[in-house]
Amino acid sequence: MWNLAAGAAFAAVLAVLALYASSASWGSIDFKNTAHYPAHALLHGLNPYDAATYLEAYPDATPFPPFAPLTLALYAPFGLLPLPVATAVWFVVTALLTIGLAWFVLRCAGVEPRWYAVLGIATAVLMSRPGEMSITLGQQTTPLVLGSYAALVLAPRRPVLAALGVALATCKPQFGVPLAVFVAAAGYWRVALAGLVASGVASLAVLVVMPTAAGHGPIGTFVSAFTASRVRIKDAATVWWSQIDVPYLLHQLLGEPPSPVVSMLVGLALLLVGVAVVYRLAARRRIGDEELQIGVSFLTMLLCVYHQVYDALLLALPLTLAVAGRAAAHWRAHPWTRLAIIACIAVPAVNYFVTWSMLERFGITGVWWRMATALNAMMLLAAWCLYVATALRRDAAIPTSAAPRLGRDAAIEIR
């Protein structure tokens, strides 16, 4: 009965999202611009990083962002299909991957992954703001999140799968590069290095067969695309409303964008603090530290460099772990800290107010617009501070029998 009810709820939510995406002019637009068109261009002898020739061939597209060339190989099968068919297939694939994500987080939380529980979590993910945006826009977020989970959770016992997770996450450099740093900080530098090498080799193979642009080799064209993307990100921050990184938060709080140097230094400072905390947790190896490593790593990844709210899907695992209370040893003396972390992480998931239609409907402008659009980033920064403070507490030293390992068996753990 419970399985039937959960399945019906999942199907109903999926049907509504499918109707929503198919009826909106922007439905699946990110899949079109970052997966189908670029892969289709490469298969037809064009260089998607060469904006001039690419946009001439696909005038309704946007410039291909500097995703790793590996991305083009992964999405090549979709480039062989007509756009409507490819879009429908990707929608179904994203839904199936969401079910896989739900199963994984339940296993990590030590909860029996029965079908009703898996479908219940999957439905909640699709109803969340990050999940809804990911599937309706056709974002690549869900596979990148699964790759990140595999990299950080499976490194101790499944190093090959973990390395493949690192490689998959590098499709978006803002995912893959910080992730590799945290996997190395957790003590698995071979896994991180193997993942980066695998991604580099695969990307180089794609670049070798890619046509050159006028005046540039394949690598030079990719670098040019990266530079152009940085300019577009900076310009978009003046009107965008759903970024969740700290440089964007500074932009909204100060009323003007910080200089590139300041943004880089702030992001680097966050990354270094997060790495130091993860390294400390890995070195002391106390029961329950795995949950803190995950929370610090994923929040730092989101805060230190450019990310949109759909990337907050990455927090499904730390939120589930915090709700399940697997690291009870850390929260026992400070239960309000745990509740505050849950509340802060949940804000981007349920914050449907900060959308373009809602901001326009209520006429939010000026300082109120800046404060509203900065709310998600502020809450995630607060959660990050609470995680770091919890990780550094001396009273977190609890006998190993006082808290369970992460997951139901030793195959799913960080250490």
Side-chain angles (χ1 to χ4, degrees):
M1 177 180 176
W2 287 110
N3 290 341
L4 183 61
F10 180 80
V13 169
L14 200 62
V16 170
L17 292 175
L19 180 62
Y20 185 46
S22 61
S23 61
S25 60
W26 46 260
S28 300
I29 191 170
D30 286 342
F31 173 76
K32 178 181 73 174
N33 288 321
T34 64
H36 184 268
Y37 277 178
H40 188 271
L42 181 64
L43 292 171
H44 287 78
L46 295 176
N47 187 333
Y49 296 111
D50 182 4
T53 58
Y54 175 67
L55 294 179
E56 183 179 353
Y58 302 92
D60 62 332
T62 58
F64 183 48
F67 293 171
L70 167 64
T71 307
L72 298 171
L74 293 176
Y75 290 97
F78 292 94
L80 296 171
L81 301 172
L83 179 59
V85 177
T87 299
V89 171
W90 181 245
F91 187 93
V92 173
V93 168
T94 303
L96 294 175
L97 290 176
T98 302
I99 294 175
L101 183 151
W103 178 89
F104 193 91
V105 300
L106 286 173
R107 285 295 304 272
C108 289
V111 178
E112 184 68 29
R114 300 183 183 278
W115 270 112
Y116 66 83
V118 171
L119 292 175
I121 293 292
T123 302
V125 168
L126 290 178
M127 291 177 66
S128 71
R129 180 63 172 154
E132 174 265 325
M133 288 186 72
S134 294
I135 196 167
T136 57
L137 291 175
Q139 265 289 326
Q140 304 178 30
T141 309
T142 309
L144 297 179
V145 167
L146 285 170
S148 301
Y149 289 176
L152 205 54
V153 174
L154 301 182
R157 300 299 180 93
R158 301 289 188 271
V160 174
L161 289 177
L164 291 176
V166 173
L168 177 60
T170 60
C171 287
K172 273 190 176 182
Q174 65 263 44
F175 267 86
V177 174
L179 176 66
V181 172
F182 280 112
V183 172
Y188 306 106
W189 62 269
R190 290 184 180 86
V191 170
L193 181 61
L196 292 176
V197 169
S199 174
V201 170
S203 294
L204 185 60
V206 174
L207 287 175
V208 167
V209 302
M210 188 178 292
T212 59
H216 296 284
I219 296 179
T221 306
F222 174 76
V223 173
S224 299
F226 178 79
T227 303
S229 179
R230 290 186 61 186
V231 174
R232 289 196 300 273
I233 289 172
K234 180 181 177 181
D235 293 342
T238 61
V239 296
W240 201 243
W241 63 92
S242 64
Q243 280 183 237
I244 56 174
D245 50 90
V246 166
Y248 176 77
L249 174 60
L250 289 177
H251 179 176
Q252 299 307 324
L253 295 181
L254 298 175
E256 60 182 15
S259 68
V261 174
V262 171
S263 296
M264 182 183 68
L265 291 176
V266 170
L268 183 60
L270 281 167
L271 181 63
L272 291 176
V273 172
V275 166
V277 171
V278 168
Y279 180 81
R280 171 190 169 94
L281 291 170
R284 75 185 187 186
R285 305 187 186 186
R286 292 173 183 163
I287 297 300
D289 280 349
E290 301 96 334
E291 178 180 333
L292 300 180
Q293 281 182 265
I294 288 173
V296 172
S297 298
F298 289 160
L299 279 166
T300 307
M301 286 170 57
L302 293 176
L303 291 169
C304 73
V305 68
Y306 171 81
H307 279 285
Q308 294 286 346
V309 71
Y310 43 71
D311 292 334
L313 187 64
L314 188 64
L315 301 178
L317 178 55
L319 180 59
T320 302
L321 292 174
V323 171
R326 302 305 294 173
H330 293 292
W331 309 130
R332 189 170 300 151
H334 306 277
W336 289 105
T337 302
R338 174 187 167 205
L339 294 177
I341 286 175
I342 293 172
C344 289
I345 293 179
V347 167
V350 301
N351 186 7
Y352 271 85
F353 177 78
V354 182
T355 64
W356 186 253
S357 58
M358 292 294 287
L359 292 171
E360 277 196 328
R361 179 176 301 176
F362 287 93
I364 306 298
T365 58
V367 65
W368 293 109
W369 189 91
R370 296 204 305 271
M371 295 301 294
T373 57
L375 178 63
N376 289 335
M378 284 191 290
M379 292 298 100
L380 295 186
L381 181 59
W384 181 84
C385 292
L386 291 170
Y387 265 116
V388 170
T390 302
L392 298 179
R393 284 188 184 124
R394 292 185 178 273
D395 60 5
I398 304 293
T400 57
S401 61
R405 275 292 195 188
L406 180 63
R408 296 181 61 84
D409 52 60
I412 302 182
E413 61 177 359
I414 291 182
R415 274 202 181 272

